[in-house]
Amino acid sequence: MLNWIWLALVAISVLVGALTGRLEAVTRAAFDGARTAVEISFGLVGIMTLWLGLMRIAEAGGSVRLLARAIRPLARRLFADVPAEHPALGAMLLNIAASWLGLGNAATPLGLKAMEELQRLNPRPDTASDAQVTFLALNTACITVVPATIIAVRVSLGSADPTEIVLPTLLASCCATVAAVTAARLLARLRPFRLPPPEHRGEDP
Amino acid sequence: MSLAEFARAASTWLIPLLLLAIPLLAAVRRVKVYEVFIDGAKEGFGVALRIIPYLVAILMAVGMFRASGAMDLFVTALSPVTAALGMPAEVLPVALLRPLSGSGTLGVVTELMKTHGPDSFIGRLAATLYGSTETTFYVLAVYFGAVGIRRTRHAVAAGLAGDLAGVVAAVLLCRWIFG
C-alpha cells in the first residue's frame, strides 16, 4: 500500500508542479525533505542512546517484567501473539505512558525499543507482524491528555482560555485511537493484508 | 486538582521517577548498573541511523506534494464534502496535512488562530484537530524504519482510519462544546 501512496505523491507532485510552473519549488522541497530526515535522525541519537541504556538496566533489574505483568489483562487481548511478561509489553506501556503525558522525547525512543522487542518475535523480518501494526496504530492516533504545544501557541496569541481545547482534544484522540486499533485488528484478516503462510524449509514432495 | 493540573504534575514527575526507580531497583538486585547501561546504550547510534532511508522517502514525497500545489487542489476538491459535515473550509487543510507533516500543520494552525483569533470557532477547531492525532506517516517511517520493516501491510490504512475518526470526532465535539 505504501508503494502506491508513495508513487502517487511523487508522480502527482511532478505533474501538478509542471502544470502550475512550480517545478523548481518541487525539486527544492524534495532535497529539503532529505536534509530534514537526516537532521531528525541525528537529533534522535543522544536521547535514543540514553533510553536504550536505561531500558537495558530496567530489563536486567526486572522492572520491565513488572510493568509487563501490570498490563497483562489488556495486552492479552490487544497483542495475543506476544507472550505474557515479554519485555515488549513493558516497553510498550512506558511508551504509551510517555506519549499520553506529551513527553515526545521519551516516547519515541521507548516506542522504538518496544518495536525492536516485537521484531524479535517476528518470523518475517521485513514484514510487519499483527502486533507491530496494532502498536503502530496506538502510536499514530495517540491519546493526548495535555496538548502542551498548542496550548503554548494559544497563550502566545492571547487566548482568553488557552486550555479550553483540552477536553475536545482528549475525546477526539480517544475516538481516533479506538478507530485505529479496531481497524488494525479487522484489516489484518483481509486478503491483501493477510500474512503469507510460513515458508517451508527443506524439500517438499 | 483538575485533570489538566494532574496531567501536568504527572508529566513533570514521570521521567525523574523513572530515572530514579529503574537503576535503584536494579541495584537492589545486584545489577552492575553502569556497565549494563553502557551495554544497552551502544545500540542508540545504530537505531537512529537505520531510520534515515525511511524518513528521507516519506519527507521528500510529502514536501514535493505540498510545494507543487497538489495539496491545495486536493483541498478545493474535498471542501464541498467537509462543508456538509459542518467544517469551515479554512480548517480543511489542517485535517489533510495532519497525517503528513507535524510542523507543517502547526504552522497552518498558528496562522489560522492569528487570522481568526484563538477563541473563534475556526481557531478552536484547528487547535483541537492538531492535538487529536499524530503524524501518521512520520511515525510509520520512524517506527518501522528502526527495525527495517518495508512491507507495512495494513498499517497505513489503520493509521488513516484513526486520523479520519479523529477529524470527524473533533468537528462534532467542537460544534457541540463551542457551537
Side-chain angles (χ1 to χ4, degrees):
Chain A
M1 187 169 184
L2 207 47
N3 284 319
W4 290 109
I5 294 180
W6 192 81
L7 181 66
L9 284 176
V10 172
I12 293 172
S13 305
V14 174
L15 287 178
V16 174
L19 291 174
T20 55
R22 295 194 203 168
L23 273 180
E24 279 166 31
V26 172
T27 310
R28 209 176 322 121
F31 293 166
D32 282 350
R35 185 168 0 97
T36 310
V38 175
E39 282 165 9
I40 290 176
S41 24
F42 271 86
L44 267 176
V45 171
I47 195 77
M48 195 70 225
T49 304
L50 188 157
W51 281 105
L52 284 179
L54 205 68
M55 285 302 283
R56 184 63 64 85
I57 299 183
E59 268 164 44
S63 19
V64 173
R65 216 172 319 124
L66 224 67
L67 289 170
R69 206 174 302 165
I71 53 163
R72 201 155 78 185
L74 183 68
R76 211 164 20 188
R77 295 173 150 267
L78 276 184
F79 302 101
D81 37 0
V82 178
E85 301 194 18
H86 191 274
L89 297 176
M92 282 195 267
L93 179 64
L94 284 174
N95 157 263
I96 301 287
S99 47
W100 282 13
L101 294 171
L103 304 167
N105 261 345
T108 307
L110 289 168
L112 297 189
K113 174 75 186 162
M115 229 4 140
E116 221 164 71
E117 292 294 341
L118 290 176
Q119 183 73 348
R120 266 181 238 270
L121 300 168
N122 186 1
R124 303 170 193 82
D126 66 339
T127 308
S129 68
D130 285 354
Q132 284 172 322
V133 175
T134 306
F135 178 59
L136 197 91
L138 269 176
N139 266 284
T140 55
C142 185
I143 290 178
T144 318
V145 183
V146 184
T149 315
I150 209 74
I151 292 176
V153 174
R154 288 173 62 80
V155 169
S156 75
L157 291 176
S159 165
D161 186 358
T163 56
E164 66 184 349
I165 48 109
V166 168
L167 183 68
T169 301
L170 176 64
L171 294 177
S173 60
C174 286
C175 292
T177 304
V178 170
V181 172
T182 311
R185 298 293 305 264
L186 294 179
L187 291 174
R189 295 176 205 161
L190 285 188
R191 181 176 283 273
F193 301 128
R194 222 179 285 159
L195 280 171
E199 284 161 33
H200 289 286
R201 292 214 180 133
E203 285 171 50
D204 276 337
Chain B
M1 193 150 78
S2 73
L3 179 71
E5 275 172 294
F6 171 75
R8 221 165 299 152
S11 51
T12 312
W13 278 97
L14 180 76
I15 302 291
L17 274 179
L18 283 177
L19 291 178
L20 174 70
I22 290 176
L24 215 58
L25 222 104
V28 170
R29 301 200 175 173
R30 305 196 182 283
V31 173
K32 292 181 177 137
V33 285
Y34 178 77
E35 290 169 29
V36 171
F37 180 94
I38 301 293
D39 205 36
K42 273 181 200 154
E43 293 167 18
F45 195 65
V47 173
L49 285 193
R50 236 175 294 152
I51 299 169
I52 292 179
Y54 298 83
L55 216 47
V56 169
I58 293 291
L59 293 187
M60 68 170 269
V62 169
M64 289 167 72
F65 196 66
R66 291 190 64 199
S68 68
M71 187 79 201
D72 305 328
L73 287 179
F74 209 40
V75 168
T76 316
L78 262 182
S79 53
V81 183
T82 47
L85 189 71
M87 177 196 261
E90 292 91 333
V91 191
L92 181 57
V94 178
L96 287 180
L97 202 52
R98 191 68 193 89
L100 298 174
S101 158
S103 55
T105 311
L106 187 61
V108 177
V109 170
T110 307
E111 201 49 49
L112 280 176
M113 287 201 285
K114 224 180 258 172
T115 317
H116 299 271
D119 299 325
S120 64
F121 182 73
I122 289 177
R124 286 159 165 168
L125 178 56
T128 304
L129 280 174
Y130 178 80
S132 53
T133 67
E134 262 293 337
T135 315
T136 299
F137 285 92
Y138 169 79
V139 174
L140 189 98
V142 171
Y143 277 48
F144 281 167
V147 291
I149 285 178
R150 285 173 291 132
R151 296 197 187 133
T152 58
R153 290 173 66 216
H154 52 306
V156 179
L160 291 180
D163 293 334
L164 181 65
V167 170
V168 174
V171 172
L172 296 179
L173 284 162
C174 281
R175 281 181 62 185
W176 178 50
I177 295 173
F178 305 123

